[in-house]
Amino acid sequence: MRIVIGGMNHESNTFNPIITGADDFVVFYGEEMLTRGRTPSYASTGIITALEEGACDIVPTVLARAVPNGVVSAAFYRHLKAEWIKRIQEALTLGPVHGVCLALHGSMKVEALGCAEGDLLMAVRELLPDVPCTVALDMHATITPALLRCVDGFTAYKTAPHIDCQETGAHAARMLLHSLHTGKKLHTAYRRIPMLIAGEKSESEAEPMRSLIEACRGVEMQPGIEAASLLLGFPWADDEHNGVSVLVTSLAAGETGEKSADALAASFWARRHDFVFRSEWYDPRQSLEYAYQGVLEKKERPVFISDSGDNPTAGATGDGTELLERILETMDQAAQLPTPLLYSGFYDAPAVAACIKAGTGAVLDITIGGNWDQVNGKKIPLQVTVQKVARNFGPLQSDLVLVSHENLLITLTSKHIGFGDAALLPSLGINPGDYCLVVVKLGYLEPCFRTIADRAILATTKGCSHELLETIPYKKVRRPLYPLDPDLVFSVGT
Ligand SMILES: [Zn+2]
């Protein structure tokens, strides 16, 4: 069997003014996908492994991945798409292709085009109209009519934070092979639930997601069912298709898949009021007050504050300054902390360049933040001392700088890479567990922070990933939509 594979992974935040381009993506072309691109945490790696186990002849196209950010450059997307198409055309000149299995995010948007995955799949379908196609999606995928038209079988991550990516890829590949080996066509039942939901209210270890995911696993045990998935959409995209989706893929059409999709959708809707923040949450001012109190009076350490409204891993700019401004207003309390207040951090290429030019140990005046998000932040002038520099960090080769200002330590990045990577702080010589108060531009804490946090506070700062969805000025989402319309009456099938 010859199977076309590929991957495209980006979550596009339409409130972020940054246009995500070539410098923000890591791309593996053709055979590179099978070697350098074979990273354990990727869904595409699961696809490759399962197809190899199935003795398939793999046709690799393109694997393109970027940290969530603003919408993707149309020119760069056209380049990626051309590379995909070229490789499929080349493969077809060498012989027949029997199937397609792709690892996609599902919420990638291109400037002036919209849904990237739908556009790409339509182009793939022009070349391969009749072969089965399965996809492994992110749990935060947005399902569009184009995706439903082009794809036969869907599966998606069942964990958030996402720790089952490889397993999900393998699932998509096995589903494709079942269809090819049995000669039965895959059929997907789809239900839309008119609801927006923040990731911080829908972690898979917490209720109600834990039970709802268990229900999906139960459906997957039924004869003939290949996959049952809950797709939560991505609330920081103002898009007419946004919402929660249920997808149940069966081998051959039948009542079981349809009824299961109905039941899962009804269960989800019935529990809509149960989606709440897992950690304590306050506005920025209160968050700081409780954190200082926790450290200074209750001896809690480390206390973590998530600067959740400006979470780059949810596509925010990473340069919002609301919380930094509050901290600078409370420097008398920060001064009492037994260790510096650690803030990780800010995406600020000009500040990083200035610090690197000045060198370690230099004292200089810079501005922090406000390069991109000038609605929820501004350039904050600060005199800093450059404590440490680390060059070419991670796959995007970002430069990192650690600066100090009085009893603050702040990390700065030259690229939009986010602050959830467990290796980022250690590369600057920092062990976050040594600090009593750590502020991170994240929503829910990644496992590397959660395991050491004595207390976790979610600060509902303003920014491109503002957690209070009811206050976001959406223009394009289809109304009515819960919780924007809290009294919405909905029943599955209507
Ligand atoms: Zn996700």
Side-chain angles (χ1 to χ4, degrees):
M1 300 269 188
R2 287 181 83 221
I3 310 295
V4 164
I5 69 163
M8 201 165 67
N9 204 287
H10 183 255
E11 193 172 60
S12 307
N13 184 317
T14 64
F15 299 99
N16 177 344
I18 299 172
I19 300 297
T20 308
D23 285 351
D24 302 299
F25 273 88
V26 175
V27 188
F28 301 102
Y29 296 99
E31 294 291 323
E32 280 181 341
M33 265 192 82
L34 310 178
T35 53
R36 290 174 55 229
R38 200 164 174 164
T39 297
S41 57
Y42 292 175
S44 50
T45 301
I47 292 174
I48 294 165
T49 305
L51 293 179
E52 283 177 350
E53 285 169 7
C56 295
D57 181 6
I58 297 174
V59 179
T61 55
V62 177
L63 172 59
R65 297 176 59 91
V67 173
N69 205 342
V71 298
V72 174
S73 142
F76 183 66
Y77 169 71
R78 279 198 299 273
H79 156 77
L80 285 180
K81 182 176 165 184
E83 291 286 332
W84 280 72
I85 299 308
K86 181 179 82 180
R87 284 176 171 77
I88 296 172
Q89 286 170 331
E90 283 169 3
L92 285 169
T93 64
L94 300 173
V97 166
H98 302 97
V100 177
C101 189
L102 307 179
L104 302 172
H105 184 286
S107 287
M108 172 168 157
K109 292 188 172 48
V110 177
E111 47 175 356
L113 177 71
C115 176
E117 292 90 348
D119 182 76
L120 179 71
L121 279 158
M122 286 194 290
V124 170
R125 278 309 202 188
E126 280 183 22
L127 297 172
L128 297 166
D130 300 320
V131 303
C133 171
T134 63
V135 294
L137 295 175
D138 190 281
M139 184 190 273
H140 303 111
T142 303
I143 301 304
T144 62
L147 278 174
L148 290 168
R149 264 201 315 277
C150 294
V151 177
D152 301 299
F154 294 84
T155 186
Y157 305 156
K158 287 186 168 60
T159 59
H162 308 317
I163 53 171
D164 63 336
C165 307
Q166 191 171 162
E167 192 182 317
T168 305
H171 189 169
R174 285 197 304 271
M175 194 157 62
L176 180 75
L177 295 180
H178 285 172
S179 175
L180 288 168
H181 289 317
T182 60
K184 292 183 181 172
K185 199 167 157 34
L186 293 164
H187 175 83
T188 295
Y190 160 69
R191 300 290 181 272
R192 178 177 184 270
I193 304 166
M195 187 168 166
L196 286 179
I197 190 161
E200 283 58 42
K201 292 183 175 177
S202 49
E203 289 178 75
S204 55
E205 279 297 302
E207 288 295 335
M209 279 302 281
R210 183 200 291 257
S211 298
L212 294 167
I213 292 291
E214 269 315 299
C216 286
R217 293 192 194 280
V219 168
E220 289 177 346
M221 301 296 284
Q222 296 180 39
I225 302 286
E226 289 286 320
S229 308
L230 292 175
L231 296 304
L232 304 184
F234 181 59
W236 298 293
D238 194 4
D239 179 275
E240 61 172 318
H241 302 296
N242 215 333
V244 175
S245 305
V246 173
L247 293 171
V248 178
T249 297
S250 320
L251 210 47
E255 276 203 354
T256 314
E258 299 292 338
K259 282 185 175 168
S260 298
D262 280 338
L264 289 172
S267 303
F268 197 100
W269 179 249
R271 298 206 64 180
R272 64 192 177 283
H273 303 295
D274 299 338
F275 289 93
V276 293
F277 293 122
R278 190 179 178 189
S279 57
E280 54 186 308
W281 61 280
Y282 315 102
D283 66 29
R285 200 176 296 275
Q286 282 179 309
S287 297
L288 270 176
E289 280 306 311
Y290 286 126
Y292 288 134
Q293 197 181 64
V295 173
L296 297 171
E297 295 172 22
K298 300 181 186 169
K299 308 301 176 201
E300 295 164 336
R301 61 183 295 177
V303 174
F304 275 77
I305 299 179
S306 295
D307 180 359
S308 66
D310 187 33
N311 172 10
T313 57
T317 58
D319 76 342
T321 54
E322 186 186 11
L323 198 52
L324 179 61
E325 289 174 61
R326 296 287 85 76
I327 290 169
L328 292 172
E329 286 168 5
T330 56
M331 287 303 278
D332 51 335
Q333 285 164 289
Q336 296 172 40
L337 296 172
T339 64
L341 187 162
L342 175 64
Y343 198 149
S344 184
F346 288 84
Y347 163 48
D348 194 324
V352 169
C355 290
I356 289 175
K357 189 175 174 199
T360 305
V363 177
L364 72 160
D365 291 314
I366 58 172
T367 65
I368 292 182
N371 294 310
W372 296 101
D373 189 345
Q374 290 159 0
V375 176
N376 305 292
K378 58 188 179 197
K379 292 175 186 284
I380 305 292
L382 214 58
Q383 185 173 77
V384 299
T385 304
V386 181
Q387 297 292 343
K388 197 164 173 73
V389 173
R391 306 296 296 263
N392 303 320
F393 171 80
L396 287 168
Q397 303 281 288
S398 177
D399 292 331
L400 312 177
V401 174
L402 181 71
V403 297
S404 62
H405 170 84
E406 298 181 17
N407 206 27
L408 302 183
L409 273 179
I410 302 173
T411 63
L412 307 171
T413 67
S414 67
K415 296 229 174 157
H416 185 276
I417 57 172
F419 297 94
D421 188 328
L424 191 150
L425 287 168
S427 72
L428 286 166
I430 294 282
N431 172 13
D434 293 341
Y435 291 82
C436 56
L437 177 49
V438 184
V439 179
V440 279
K441 283 193 186 290
L442 269 180
Y444 49 60
L445 292 181
E446 295 292 332
C448 61
F449 296 135
R450 176 171 294 162
T451 50
I452 60 169
D454 196 12
R455 183 173 177 185
I457 295 172
L458 185 118
T460 53
T461 45
K462 294 192 179 67
C464 303
S465 56
H466 190 32
E467 292 283 349
L468 304 179
L469 305 183
E470 302 88 325
T471 67
I472 295 177
Y474 294 103
K475 293 189 176 69
K476 296 181 185 165
V477 294
R478 213 185 318 161
R479 306 288 287 264
L481 195 62
Y482 183 85
L484 312 186
D485 302 296
D487 301 325
L488 168 61
V489 176
F490 166 75
S491 62
V492 176
T494 59

PDB file of all heavy atoms in Angstrom, residues 11 105 138-140 162, ligand 1:
ATOM      1  N   GLU A  11      -1.996  26.923  15.438  1.00  0.00           N
ATOM      2  CA  GLU A  11      -3.268  27.377  16.012  1.00  0.00           C
ATOM      3  C   GLU A  11      -3.260  28.885  15.854  1.00  0.00           C
ATOM      4  O   GLU A  11      -2.400  29.556  16.412  1.00  0.00           O
ATOM      5  CB  GLU A  11      -3.284  26.972  17.477  1.00  0.00           C
ATOM      6  CG  GLU A  11      -4.602  27.075  18.178  1.00  0.00           C
ATOM      7  CD  GLU A  11      -4.498  26.440  19.567  1.00  0.00           C
ATOM      8  OE1 GLU A  11      -3.672  26.906  20.383  1.00  0.00           O
ATOM      9  OE2 GLU A  11      -5.223  25.480  19.827  1.00  0.00           O
ATOM     10  N   HIS A 105      -3.606  20.417  12.700  1.00  0.00           N
ATOM     11  CA  HIS A 105      -4.153  21.015  13.914  1.00  0.00           C
ATOM     12  C   HIS A 105      -5.671  21.126  13.796  1.00  0.00           C
ATOM     13  O   HIS A 105      -6.418  20.608  14.610  1.00  0.00           O
ATOM     14  CB  HIS A 105      -3.546  22.391  14.176  1.00  0.00           C
ATOM     15  CG  HIS A 105      -4.035  22.957  15.470  1.00  0.00           C
ATOM     16  ND1 HIS A 105      -5.304  23.455  15.619  1.00  0.00           N
ATOM     17  CD2 HIS A 105      -3.447  23.054  16.689  1.00  0.00           C
ATOM     18  CE1 HIS A 105      -5.476  23.826  16.875  1.00  0.00           C
ATOM     19  NE2 HIS A 105      -4.358  23.605  17.535  1.00  0.00           N
ATOM     20  N   ASP A 138      -5.825  18.115  16.463  1.00  0.00           N
ATOM     21  CA  ASP A 138      -5.699  18.651  17.816  1.00  0.00           C
ATOM     22  C   ASP A 138      -7.099  18.678  18.451  1.00  0.00           C
ATOM     23  O   ASP A 138      -8.110  18.812  17.746  1.00  0.00           O
ATOM     24  CB  ASP A 138      -5.136  20.075  17.739  1.00  0.00           C
ATOM     25  CG  ASP A 138      -4.734  20.629  19.088  1.00  0.00           C
ATOM     26  OD1 ASP A 138      -5.633  21.074  19.841  1.00  0.00           O
ATOM     27  OD2 ASP A 138      -3.533  20.624  19.382  1.00  0.00           O
ATOM     28  N   MET A 139      -7.145  18.568  19.770  1.00  0.00           N
ATOM     29  CA  MET A 139      -8.442  18.653  20.462  1.00  0.00           C
ATOM     30  C   MET A 139      -9.107  20.016  20.225  1.00  0.00           C
ATOM     31  O   MET A 139     -10.318  20.145  20.318  1.00  0.00           O
ATOM     32  CB  MET A 139      -8.250  18.429  21.964  1.00  0.00           C
ATOM     33  CG  MET A 139      -9.532  18.397  22.758  1.00  0.00           C
ATOM     34  SD  MET A 139      -9.223  18.436  24.530  1.00  0.00           S
ATOM     35  CE  MET A 139      -9.007  16.709  24.902  1.00  0.00           C
ATOM     36  N   HIS A 140      -8.304  21.038  19.876  1.00  0.00           N
ATOM     37  CA  HIS A 140      -8.846  22.385  19.692  1.00  0.00           C
ATOM     38  C   HIS A 140      -9.098  22.717  18.227  1.00  0.00           C
ATOM     39  O   HIS A 140      -9.033  23.883  17.826  1.00  0.00           O
ATOM     40  CB  HIS A 140      -7.911  23.398  20.365  1.00  0.00           C
ATOM     41  CG  HIS A 140      -7.724  23.091  21.819  1.00  0.00           C
ATOM     42  ND1 HIS A 140      -6.543  22.638  22.341  1.00  0.00           N
ATOM     43  CD2 HIS A 140      -8.612  23.115  22.840  1.00  0.00           C
ATOM     44  CE1 HIS A 140      -6.707  22.411  23.645  1.00  0.00           C
ATOM     45  NE2 HIS A 140      -7.950  22.693  23.968  1.00  0.00           N
ATOM     46  N   HIS A 162      -1.758  18.231  25.844  1.00  0.00           N
ATOM     47  CA  HIS A 162      -1.735  17.153  24.857  1.00  0.00           C
ATOM     48  C   HIS A 162      -0.530  16.241  25.053  1.00  0.00           C
ATOM     49  O   HIS A 162       0.593  16.604  24.699  1.00  0.00           O
ATOM     50  CB  HIS A 162      -1.681  17.747  23.454  1.00  0.00           C
ATOM     51  CG  HIS A 162      -2.747  18.773  23.189  1.00  0.00           C
ATOM     52  ND1 HIS A 162      -4.053  18.603  23.588  1.00  0.00           N
ATOM     53  CD2 HIS A 162      -2.706  19.971  22.556  1.00  0.00           C
ATOM     54  CE1 HIS A 162      -4.764  19.664  23.221  1.00  0.00           C
ATOM     55  NE2 HIS A 162      -3.968  20.508  22.604  1.00  0.00           N
TER      56      HIS A 162
HETATM   57 ZN    ZN B   1      -4.723  22.104  21.431  1.00  0.00          ZN
END
